[in-house]
Amino acid sequence: MGDWRTDPTFAMCRALVDGAELASFAGGPFDVRAVVAAISPEAKDGFLLDEVPWENLPQGDRVREAVQLLRVGAPVRVGTGVVGGMCANDMRAAAALAVPFMVRIAADTRHPHRVDTLAELSSPARARHFGVASRDELLLHRSATDDLYDDYGVEVTGYPAGWSVAAARSAITVDTVLLQPLLDDPDSTIRIHAAYALATAADPRRTVRSALRARFAIEQDPIVRAALVLAIAEATRAHPHVLTAQWMSDQLQDRTQAPEVRLAAAIGWLCLADEPAPKALRVAVDDLATDDRAHAMEALPWMVAAGGSGETGLQRCVREMLHPERPDPVEFNDPWAPGH
């Protein structure tokens, strides 16, 4: 990886550190939201990568090369691995530029890496979500304003992280017409990750949530059904809808639903409702959340992100949402903790 301080955006980030107003750069050549919005449909569909100013953003040339290699079917580690790696390293700005092209690769039923591509394309659209399992923060789309110190803060380069996340979500929103058909794909993994990506789209008209509900009505795979429930909850958290919280409660109480679906519905309700968890919900979750089910639900990207330190995502959600009195296992995994 080259020195990110040689990227053109470094001057902007340096100016921000010196007290410049972030709003003064909004809409300019280093605002990834504006850059993504300016990519023409023709450039996206034709993979006209030279029409995108990759060089304006940290490590942009590296992302451009990764997209090109991914398009021609090069090993996935040099394609989606670059995007996922940059997001893991908290450098999402240039990765957001890749999202429109990754959507098209994922939608191509002939592409050898469509599954891996779909699994990674929403990575730039999420930040500060690993290890998060609380009612207050799970499934939450944080603010992305022109305030440098918004809920996303800054990336390791000094770039405003909220801009990167907003750009990626905007790209997914524009291309929901390409992603929604993937909810009907024969591959269950495709269906899960399509729901995960669609959950980040702006959905003020609730068209995405309607598509997720429609697929839920006919979906047979219990793990995919659980994914659809969590996607509906995430979409609803961004665009509140009172009746959806009741729908979550109905799925939890429906004993004909698979346990994984009922558990996902309980998590969805806990994230959407403000009132304390009722006793019936606590009893149901404690009964259903076996170790085997917790590991089975690791097929859901929400749960993978929530877990860690010896806990699955489901186990951490249950502990933090319903049993906060239980100790965090990380305390016992820390060799420097008192008593070790």
Side-chain angles (χ1 to χ4, degrees), residues 8 77 178 221:
R77 67 179 181 277
L178 297 177
D221 188 305

Side-chain angles (χ1 to χ4, degrees), residues 26 78 154 322:
V78 299
V154 295
L322 298 177

